[in-house]
Amino acid sequence: MAAIGIDLGTTNSCVAVYRNNRVEIIANDQGSRITPSWVSFTDSQKLVGEAAKEEASMNCENTLFQIKRLIGRKFNDPTVQKDRKRWGFGIVKDGDRPKLQVTYKEGVKTFFPEEISAMILAELKEAAKAFMGEEITDAVITVPAYFNDAQRTATRDAGRIAGLNVLSMINEPTAAAIAYGLDNKSNDERTVLIFDLGGGTFDVTIATIEEQIFDVKATGGNTHLGGEDFDNRMVDHFIEEFSKKHGVDISSNKRAISRLRVACEAAKRKLSVSTNAKVQLDGLFMGLDFKSNISQAKFDAMNEDLFDSTLDAVKTVLSDAKMDKKQIDDIVLVGGSTRIPKIRQLLQDFFDGKEICRTINPDEAVAYGAAALAENIRSGGSETKERLQLLDVTPLSIGTDVRESDMCVIIPRNTKIPTRKMGSFTTSRDNQTALNFEVYEGERPCIHDNHHLGTFVLEGIPPAPKGVATVISVFEIDRSGILTVTAYDSISGSENKIKITNDEKQMAKNEIEKMIAAAEKFKIEDMEWKEKSAAKNELEDLVYKIKQKVQKDTSVSHGDQKKILLKSQATMDWVKTNKKTESKSIRQKTKELRDLFNRMIGFSSD
Ligand code: ADP
Ligand code: MG
């Protein structure tokens, strides 16, 4: 059975598979190679991808997007609080976690971010099934390099809810490096800079590639910079223009802003291939039409500071990797926003006119690399000759509190993963039998400024004067970047191993089965919806054919005609009024109608 690679993006997702000795990008059922990471709920169905995105302006309260920004975060996280102000959909608090609240089929429903991500993953899984003609469950899913343990765990859970067996999770830039490595067959060591500018995030990574070894040297960027910021600048510009022209402020009208944003995003994409773009919206606000123009130069000028800031990140990452820009052999562009000509030009100028690698599709590179790795793991390295070796780094330091609020770093940032590091601790009170550790990640010296990952307690330490016991704790990060902490008391020799009791992990474990069951229910509901829609179509088709037949065929008596048409109408009305009826009943009614016809005028609908 094949294994797929999935780029679960904030804005767009992409799925690929290794087949016929190469990686192939899988198109979705609409024929598109990327699927917007959007999910929408209506009174009759759940939509994923392009169809969900199209719902945005009509049904913004129930149309979810950028859910990756929420995954693995707590409700009180400042970014969650900031983001929710911008979004048109509701976020509620469940314990300390955020949940999305929507109206679906006339009822209020809430979902954890993992469940929404799982719906996107399930859609991609289905596309892969259709493409390969068999059920696909094994997958490699990519995550941003800066994702912490909770975000990675939650992404893995989303995979499980979608019915995937997650073989591994790799960092997006590493996946792009693999795509580049497969594309560039040179055996010499090459240093590449991966520049990923997506919808809402920006990452820069430097890695060296030598045959099958991918060695990440440094990674950095900005978790709040991307195409959406450029859209916002254009939206603000047009709000001002509208105000100047008509003397009214449209900024507080959600629907008008939402329509304007969609138009600006389209204009922005146009400006990547043309020097001018039109923006035209009929009846934008209070019946007033909006018609304007924007030039590429104007767009570049309004985003100058944002564009320039991408170079600052490049400089930081070069310095973290202790490299000079001359040492970079290739520049690989990833993410839709790298299509902006000005960005390409800035980058090229910074690298003294160096050519940018053009053979890799920025929208597909990440999924491409993930699929190559999935195949490599699946086949044990046999088909792609050797096992790929990924030497990734942990983006943030991980440690625990020892004295008061001091952060004691166990695994420093930029440590190669997988890694295993030990720390030695002791008791601070006489006869203390338990030690409590709080695990944090971050670079600040005071733990409270860092991100809390979880708590773990070691019990069963033999009573002794303070400072006698020696507790060894082991911090391990696996290939997917997931952290496990264990501890044992070395003096008593007791194998008192304790895994980190990360709150989120515990909860996810208890809830995951429930979420899987809910996702299954959704799958059945979705299937029933499709069935129902097919049944309705069949009925409509029959009624249409009947009308045609009755009108054309003069041998049908007037009485029969009337009877038949009345029955047709009655059946149609019945379906319309009984909205909740199942496909089975519709098919039954259709059959009754067809039988009546066959009996009355020997008509066969086929
Ligand atoms: P993510 O990694 O966040 O899922 P993508 O890499 O798919 O995102 O990038 C999406 C962003 O790229 C959006 O903001 C979109 O407007 C932008 N984008 C896509 N195509 C173009 C283009 N031709 N020119 C400029 N921006 C583009
Ligand atoms: Mg991306």
Side-chain angles (χ1 to χ4, degrees):
M1 189 177 71
I4 49 176
I6 299 178
D7 168 11
L8 180 63
T10 312
T11 323
N12 295 303
S13 297
C14 183
V15 56
V17 70
Y18 189 85
R19 189 168 81 163
N20 305 331
N21 297 322
R22 63 191 181 95
V23 174
E24 294 188 54
I25 303 292
I26 300 173
N28 60 25
D29 57 3
Q30 304 209 354
S32 175
R33 289 157 76 91
I34 53 173
T35 299
S37 305
W38 293 54
V39 177
S40 181
F41 297 86
T42 73
D43 52 5
S44 61
Q45 60 171 323
K46 177 196 94 206
L47 300 163
V48 178
E50 198 59 52
K53 197 172 172 183
E54 280 162 11
E55 280 284 310
S57 58
M58 291 162 307
N59 182 18
C60 73
E61 297 86 6
N62 303 307
T63 302
L64 312 178
F65 57 96
Q66 296 182 347
I67 299 310
K68 191 170 162 183
R69 281 198 181 280
L70 289 176
I71 206 158
R73 290 188 193 268
K74 299 225 163 107
F75 181 81
N76 288 334
D77 188 315
T79 70
V80 173
Q81 290 309 312
K82 205 170 150 206
D83 282 339
R84 73 187 280 230
K85 290 200 187 94
R86 300 183 300 125
W87 290 332
F89 47 85
I91 298 174
V92 293
K93 196 166 178 241
D94 185 309
D96 59 357
R97 297 203 290 162
K99 261 189 126 173
L100 297 135
Q101 185 170 304
V102 294
T103 306
Y104 172 54
K105 292 191 175 173
E106 293 151 24
V108 173
K109 281 222 152 67
T110 59
F111 297 100
F112 285 115
E114 291 90 315
E115 292 179 278
I116 301 299
S117 293
M119 290 172 189
I120 299 162
L121 290 171
E123 187 80 6
L124 302 173
K125 182 174 175 261
E126 280 303 303
K129 182 182 167 186
F131 186 78
M132 298 296 286
E134 61 172 349
E135 191 73 45
I136 308 280
T137 50
D138 290 345
V140 167
I141 304 178
T142 62
V143 285
Y146 61 82
F147 253 25
N148 66 36
D149 185 57
Q151 291 168 305
R152 284 167 200 265
T153 304
T155 304
R156 189 183 275 271
D157 288 344
R160 285 185 54 197
I161 298 165
L164 290 169
N165 170 38
V166 184
L167 299 174
S168 178
M169 285 192 295
I170 52 162
N171 290 343
E172 289 160 10
T174 313
I178 295 175
Y180 167 83
L182 292 181
D183 194 57
N184 193 303
K185 297 275 186 263
S186 147
N187 279 348
D188 302 335
E189 182 183 281
R190 299 192 63 82
T191 303
V192 285
L193 180 127
I194 292 140
F195 183 98
D196 181 351
L197 190 58
T201 58
F202 168 52
D203 293 281
V204 190
T205 301
I206 294 175
T208 60
I209 302 174
E210 193 178 5
E211 295 189 21
Q212 303 286 96
I213 305 167
F214 298 83
D215 191 350
V216 175
K217 297 294 180 197
T219 189
N222 183 344
T223 54
H224 268 86
L225 178 66
E228 198 191 305
D229 299 294
F230 315 145
D231 300 345
N232 285 341
R233 289 273 166 101
M234 209 197 289
V235 168
D236 290 345
H237 165 77
F238 285 132
I239 289 175
E240 207 183 308
E241 193 174 306
F242 196 91
S243 160
K244 271 191 195 139
K245 266 190 200 157
H246 302 290
V248 279
D249 179 17
I250 64 166
S251 58
S252 55
N253 187 293
K254 268 191 181 167
R255 191 171 137 73
I257 295 298
S258 166
R259 286 183 65 203
L260 183 58
R261 178 163 290 122
V262 171
C264 286
E265 200 259 345
K268 174 187 74 176
R269 278 187 279 123
K270 175 95 192 288
L271 289 177
S272 291
V273 286
S274 159
T275 50
N276 246 289
K278 274 194 195 123
V279 174
Q280 193 168 347
L281 290 154
D282 291 339
L284 180 62
F285 190 61
M286 297 185 344
L288 296 164
D289 295 342
F290 182 67
K291 213 174 170 179
S292 191
N293 239 300
I294 183 159
S295 69
Q296 201 182 61
K298 176 87 195 166
F299 174 72
D300 292 346
M302 65 174 67
N303 287 298
E304 195 181 0
D305 57 324
L306 298 178
F307 290 175
D308 285 346
S309 76
T310 62
L311 289 184
D312 297 335
V314 170
K315 287 175 201 157
T316 309
V317 173
L318 275 169
S319 119
D320 276 0
K322 300 185 183 61
M323 279 188 185
D324 183 80
K325 61 181 176 181
K326 289 195 178 60
Q327 286 169 268
I328 302 295
D329 295 309
D330 275 301
I331 303 157
V332 176
L333 299 182
V334 179
S337 299
T338 59
R339 294 192 193 275
I340 296 171
K342 183 73 185 175
I343 301 243
R344 292 188 174 201
Q345 189 207 325
L346 281 173
L347 204 55
Q348 196 163 13
D349 290 349
F350 175 77
F351 284 98
D352 306 317
K354 188 170 189 53
E355 270 305 311
I356 287 171
C357 168
R358 289 184 184 277
T359 52
I360 294 186
N361 185 330
D363 299 318
E364 300 170 356
V366 172
Y368 192 105
L373 178 66
E375 170 60 16
N376 194 252
I377 297 173
R378 188 200 67 82
S379 66
S382 62
E383 256 174 56
T384 31
K385 286 189 201 92
E386 283 170 61
R387 230 177 214 292
L388 299 176
Q389 267 196 61
L390 308 178
L391 307 174
D392 229 311
V393 294
T394 164
L396 296 165
S397 301
I398 293 172
T400 180
D401 56 337
V402 266
R403 249 167 292 103
E404 308 277 301
S405 305
D406 290 355
M407 170 89 170
C408 167
V409 173
I410 307 283
I411 302 177
R413 104 176 226 255
N414 275 332
T415 299
K416 289 254 172 300
I417 60 166
T419 186
R420 187 172 190 271
K421 298 228 187 251
M422 297 203 289
S424 166
F425 302 92
T426 187
T427 48
S428 57
R429 291 189 315 272
D430 289 344
N431 298 324
Q432 189 178 342
T433 56
L435 254 185
N436 188 48
F437 295 88
E438 301 293 338
V439 183
Y440 285 84
E441 69 180 358
E443 310 311 315
R444 308 280 293 273
C446 171
I447 50 154
H448 299 302
D449 294 327
N450 292 329
H451 179 247
H452 185 235
L453 288 178
T455 308
F456 87 93
V457 185
L458 177 70
E459 285 169 338
I461 302 168
K466 69 174 180 181
V468 170
T470 307
V471 170
I472 307 288
S473 68
V474 185
F475 284 59
E476 281 182 275
I477 302 180
D478 70 9
R479 265 175 215 289
S480 293
I482 289 183
L483 171 73
T484 309
V485 183
T486 54
Y488 58 91
D489 172 31
S490 70
I491 292 183
S492 70
S494 64
E495 283 285 321
N496 210 353
K497 275 193 178 177
I498 290 167
K499 283 214 168 185
I500 188 163
T501 56
N502 185 329
D503 298 348
E504 286 111 315
K505 275 189 184 171
Q506 284 269 307
M507 259 218 270
K509 248 187 211 156
N510 300 340
E511 277 166 356
I512 204 112
E513 300 305 328
K514 263 196 261 167
M515 292 193 212
I516 291 173
E520 270 304 311
K521 202 174 135 238
F522 258 110
K523 205 170 157 186
I524 294 165
E525 276 183 26
D526 286 354
M527 260 158 56
E528 168 56 20
W529 191 85
K530 278 185 193 150
E531 282 273 299
K532 201 166 144 178
S533 146
K536 276 195 209 159
N537 260 339
E538 200 182 306
L539 173 64
E540 274 173 26
D541 201 40
L542 176 66
V543 170
Y544 176 79
K545 282 184 183 163
I546 286 167
K547 280 186 186 157
Q548 296 276 89
K549 171 98 176 164
V550 165
Q551 273 166 12
K552 280 189 196 146
D553 195 338
T554 46
S555 68
V556 183
S557 76
H558 193 70
D560 279 351
Q561 259 195 26
K562 206 170 162 191
K563 209 168 167 184
I564 290 159
L565 291 176
L566 276 176
K567 175 76 180 171
S568 300
Q569 194 53 47
T571 313
M572 295 285 280
D573 290 347
W574 180 86
V575 173
K576 229 180 244 169
T577 44
N578 292 281
K579 280 203 170 68
K580 289 195 175 134
T581 188
E582 288 179 359
S583 60
K584 233 171 42 197
S585 316
I586 301 176
R587 287 200 195 278
Q588 179 57 33
K589 290 270 175 193
T590 309
K591 186 174 177 304
E592 283 168 19
L593 182 64
R594 186 181 291 123
D595 289 349
L596 179 74
F597 273 97
N598 289 342
R599 270 202 316 277
M600 288 179 79
I601 43 175
F603 168 81
S604 161
S605 67
D606 308 319

